[in-house]
Amino acid sequence: MEIERINDNTVKFYLSYIDIEERGFTREEVWYNRDKSEELFWEMMDEINDETEFEVEGPLWIQVHAMNNGIEVTVTRAQMENNEIDFGVDESDKHFDPDPSLFTNPEQLMNELNDEPVVWTSDMFVFDDFENLIPLAKKIPAYAVQSSLYSFENKFYMHVIYDESEMDDDAKLDYCSIVSEYGSLSQVTIHRLEEYGKVIMESDVLKTVDKYFGE
């Protein structure tokens, strides 16, 4: 799980479906079963509190972005005046007021995830060494993607946005397969890289690497 503290009242975390399964839940339970989804949510909030000291105080507003490999959740504490809401210590942890799009209509969300799958629009790849990009840039054919490169914690991250009008899922899988020979998919979010990483190349990463570093 990746956790990012946005500000005093907002925290964001990314949870892959593998992370969810390792915690004893299934993807269907998260989207279909309100009790299970709330149980998972509070487990995550306990972990976040331990790591970032983000305490639950009052109602929470929750936004969930479904991704091809997992979910990205943004949690914001509502700004309330002291006289507008008064929780006891025990009651505050039980007050769960999510965005209506999260749990109040799980059947619709399940349809979106299965019958009408979430569109696969982007990927993040991580490389242990910049040198790994050089043979990749030489080998990979032209694909309809936008890309940018960041350095973060001694690794290099390539963010790729697919052109939906040009690339179907098969083309995206082909692209991922080639890139994964030299790097791997990462759960680090573009938001985290934009805030904490360093931009190396703003566009056309592999084309630029091949131009300046290819033989």
Side-chain angles (χ1 to χ4, degrees):
M1 180 175 71
E2 295 284 341
I3 302 172
E4 179 181 357
R5 184 70 179 265
I6 305 300
N7 55 43
D8 289 343
N9 293 304
T10 303
V11 68
K12 179 184 294 184
F13 65 89
Y14 174 85
L15 197 64
S16 72
Y17 290 121
I18 294 176
D19 292 331
I20 291 171
E21 291 174 358
E22 288 178 347
R23 286 169 169 78
F25 300 87
T26 66
R27 171 174 168 167
E28 288 74 19
E29 285 176 335
V30 170
W31 293 111
Y32 237 163
N33 187 312
R34 183 184 178 93
D35 290 338
K36 287 292 186 179
S37 59
E38 289 192 16
E39 181 182 347
L40 174 62
F41 175 80
W42 289 119
E43 284 189 13
M44 296 302 95
M45 293 309 298
D46 286 341
E47 289 188 30
I48 290 171
N49 182 35
D50 290 340
E51 293 191 29
T52 68
E53 297 183 353
F54 182 87
E55 296 181 357
V56 175
E57 298 175 348
L60 302 176
W61 297 101
I62 303 165
Q63 292 180 317
V64 177
H65 175 56
M67 306 171 72
N68 56 308
N69 293 323
I71 56 176
E72 184 180 80
V73 183
T74 302
V75 182
T76 301
R77 290 185 296 220
Q79 296 296 296
M80 305 288 286
E81 297 296 333
N82 291 335
N83 60 355
E84 290 184 305
I85 189 165
D86 184 17
F87 286 114
V89 174
D90 295 334
E91 291 176 328
S92 63
D93 286 343
K94 297 178 181 179
H95 188 84
F96 186 66
D97 191 9
D99 186 305
S101 64
L102 179 56
F103 297 122
T104 57
N105 195 0
E107 294 177 356
Q108 179 181 346
L109 281 171
M110 183 56 69
N111 288 335
E112 292 176 357
L113 290 174
N114 292 305
D115 296 338
E116 299 177 6
V118 175
V119 177
W120 178 8
T121 59
S122 65
D123 273 315
M124 182 72 73
F125 298 93
V126 59
F127 302 85
D128 291 331
D129 196 306
F130 181 85
E131 296 294 323
N132 294 345
L133 289 161
I134 298 175
L136 169 61
K138 189 175 186 63
K139 174 181 179 178
I140 197 166
Y143 281 92
V145 301
Q146 298 177 31
S147 59
S148 52
L149 187 68
Y150 297 79
S151 64
F152 177 62
E153 295 183 345
N154 299 317
K155 293 186 179 181
F156 294 87
Y157 292 83
M158 184 172 70
H159 183 235
V160 175
I161 301 174
Y162 302 108
D163 185 338
E164 295 299 317
S165 65
E166 298 289 336
M167 294 184 67
D168 58 16
D169 284 353
D170 288 338
K172 296 170 190 174
L173 286 171
D174 289 341
Y175 183 90
C176 285
S177 177
I178 297 173
V179 176
S180 295
E181 293 179 22
Y182 302 88
S184 59
L185 285 168
S186 172
Q187 296 177 9
V188 173
T189 67
I190 183 61
H191 310 291
R192 186 173 185 182
L193 292 176
E194 288 174 342
E195 183 167 358
Y196 300 109
K198 178 181 179 181
V199 179
I200 304 299
M201 298 178 186
E202 294 184 346
S203 62
D204 297 327
V205 173
L206 296 178
K207 182 178 179 180
T208 303
V209 169
D210 189 45
K211 177 180 179 180
Y212 290 102
F213 299 95
E215 296 179 357

